[in-house]
Amino acid sequence: MFCAFTLTGALLASTASIGSAQPRLEALDSMEITAEGANGVRIEEFSGLSWDEDEQLLYAVSDGGVLHHFRVRLDGSRIAEIQSVFSALLATKTSKASGKPVTNAEGLTTVNDDNGQRSDSELLIAFEDGPSIARFTPRGEWIANSVLPAPLTNETQYSKKNSRLEAVAVDGRHGVLTAPERPLKDQPEDRHTLYAADGTTWSFKAFQSDSRLKAIQTLPDGNLLILERTREEKGGAPTARLRYLDFGQCTAKRECQLAELSAEPDAMLVDNFEGMARLSDDLFLIVADKTRKDAEPTTFVLFQVKATP
């Protein structure tokens, strides 16, 4: 008998924290969704993803500056449904540097998403064409811009125009965290750097010399899950690599050694994945960035991260 659950019901048994043990990844299921969302708005180019526990909504933002809401149902460890329920253009501001509207939304996280109160959630969205981070209502209305860490304010210091801010999260100790897709010009090309609102930085060796940092996700233990897009061989297909950053294992200079969650990528993780959301302590969704030029539809993958006994 088929039995579908909302996330609240489906994930009650999924509460184990990753903790300090070596984590491992298991891809559980994938789902393709139709190209047309709510209000007839096209579903494409997803780069940011976030889960709102209080509202039971999955948010997604696109390169074109569109915000989407989805209802998600799971059947155990399988995706039963991802239903589009709302789509709207983000009411963004004009970039001071270019004089043009900021639209290229790349990173997304939700604030006040699991405090037990309804209607107080806010979205933090990182824009590549700012570069900027701004607060929005869940309906896409602009609230205010966030102050960027000083190294990220000068657009000429980014390695490329389309390699600016790509990820955003919130840390309880240091505030907003963000990172560019590629290292800044004055940084080693093979080391990614995370920047916090209070000026703190952490660096770590990229999975590959040219891997792109695509998303960061805070975890219940205070550490981070990091999504990098790689190509396992030159000219090969883009692949998602998930890595675990334990702040307690970083050096005094905040140079960090990341744990790789899988020796070989699962076949379900071979795609241009860019957005990531934590659904529970150890269940996550990632989404592929697909344009209308791509033959394949937008794909979500559900995976689990567990501590190794």
Side-chain angles (χ1 to χ4, degrees):
M1 177 179 178
F2 175 80
C3 185
F5 300 84
T6 64
L7 285 176
T8 299
L11 304 179
L12 287 177
S14 182
T15 57
S17 176
I18 293 172
S20 58
Q22 174 72 30
R24 61 183 177 83
L25 177 151
E26 181 182 359
L28 301 174
D29 196 18
S30 65
M31 175 172 281
E32 297 176 344
I33 61 174
T34 60
E36 186 172 309
N39 311 326
V41 178
R42 187 173 175 84
I43 292 175
E44 62 181 356
E45 297 185 294
F46 282 178
S47 296
L49 207 61
S50 183
W51 171 249
D52 189 332
E53 176 66 21
D54 292 335
E55 305 295 338
Q56 291 288 290
L57 284 173
L58 180 70
Y59 304 121
V61 290
S62 73
D63 295 358
V66 180
L67 169 67
H68 300 265
H69 296 186
F70 296 91
R71 294 288 181 191
V72 179
R73 290 191 300 128
L74 300 183
D75 175 22
S77 61
R78 313 288 292 182
I79 304 172
E81 183 180 31
I82 298 178
Q83 178 189 13
S84 174
V85 294
F86 173 82
S87 298
L89 283 171
L90 290 165
T92 57
K93 296 297 182 178
T94 298
S95 168
K96 292 181 180 180
S98 67
K100 299 178 180 179
V102 174
T103 59
N104 193 356
E106 293 286 343
L108 172 65
T109 194
T110 311
V111 183
N112 300 328
D113 57 307
D114 61 353
N115 61 3
Q117 299 183 40
R118 301 286 302 275
S119 304
D120 67 344
S121 299
E122 291 184 3
L123 307 182
L124 269 179
I125 302 176
F127 292 90
E128 191 169 56
D129 53 349
S132 62
I133 296 175
R135 293 162 47 213
F136 290 83
T137 72
R139 307 295 287 185
E141 298 143 342
W142 179 86
I143 299 173
N145 283 344
S146 297
V147 177
L148 291 180
L152 302 178
T153 58
N154 186 350
E155 64 175 9
T156 66
Q157 291 304 304
Y158 292 85
S159 63
K160 291 185 177 181
K161 186 177 180 180
N162 62 346
S163 296
R164 298 175 185 169
L165 298 185
E166 188 77 17
V168 65
V170 176
D171 178 83
R173 300 153 296 185
H174 301 279
V176 177
L177 305 178
T178 189
E181 181 177 344
R182 290 177 170 177
L184 299 181
K185 288 180 179 178
D186 62 351
Q187 299 296 317
E189 293 183 359
D190 62 347
R191 290 192 72 83
H192 291 301
T193 300
L194 300 174
Y195 299 83
D198 65 0
T200 307
T201 61
W202 300 264
S203 70
F204 55 91
K205 189 173 179 61
F207 183 83
Q208 294 174 336
S209 59
D210 194 36
S211 67
R212 315 291 178 83
L213 193 156
K214 288 297 180 180
I216 54 178
Q217 175 65 61
T218 51
L219 300 170
D221 61 10
N223 294 314
L224 290 179
L225 190 62
I226 293 175
L227 168 63
E228 289 185 46
R229 188 190 70 197
T230 69
R231 295 185 188 274
E232 301 302 300
E233 57 186 29
K234 188 175 181 180
T239 300
R241 280 288 185 173
L242 282 304
R243 313 177 75 195
Y244 176 66
L245 190 158
D246 183 346
F247 286 108
Q249 300 300 312
C250 300
T251 68
K253 294 182 178 180
R254 295 185 293 276
E255 295 175 345
C256 309
Q257 184 73 33
L258 272 58
E260 315 300 338
L261 300 194
S262 59
E264 296 295 334
D266 189 283
M268 280 194 283
L269 302 182
V270 179
D271 208 334
N272 184 31
F273 290 103
E274 295 204 3
M276 175 169 58
R278 178 168 64 87
L279 304 181
S280 72
D281 282 4
D282 62 354
L283 283 176
F284 302 81
L285 275 176
I286 54 175
V287 66
D289 182 346
K290 292 295 184 180
T291 71
R292 63 185 62 203
K293 295 180 180 179
D294 295 311
E296 304 87 359
T298 294
T299 301
F300 290 85
V301 170
L302 177 71
F303 67 91
Q304 187 172 37
V305 178
K306 287 185 175 181
T308 302

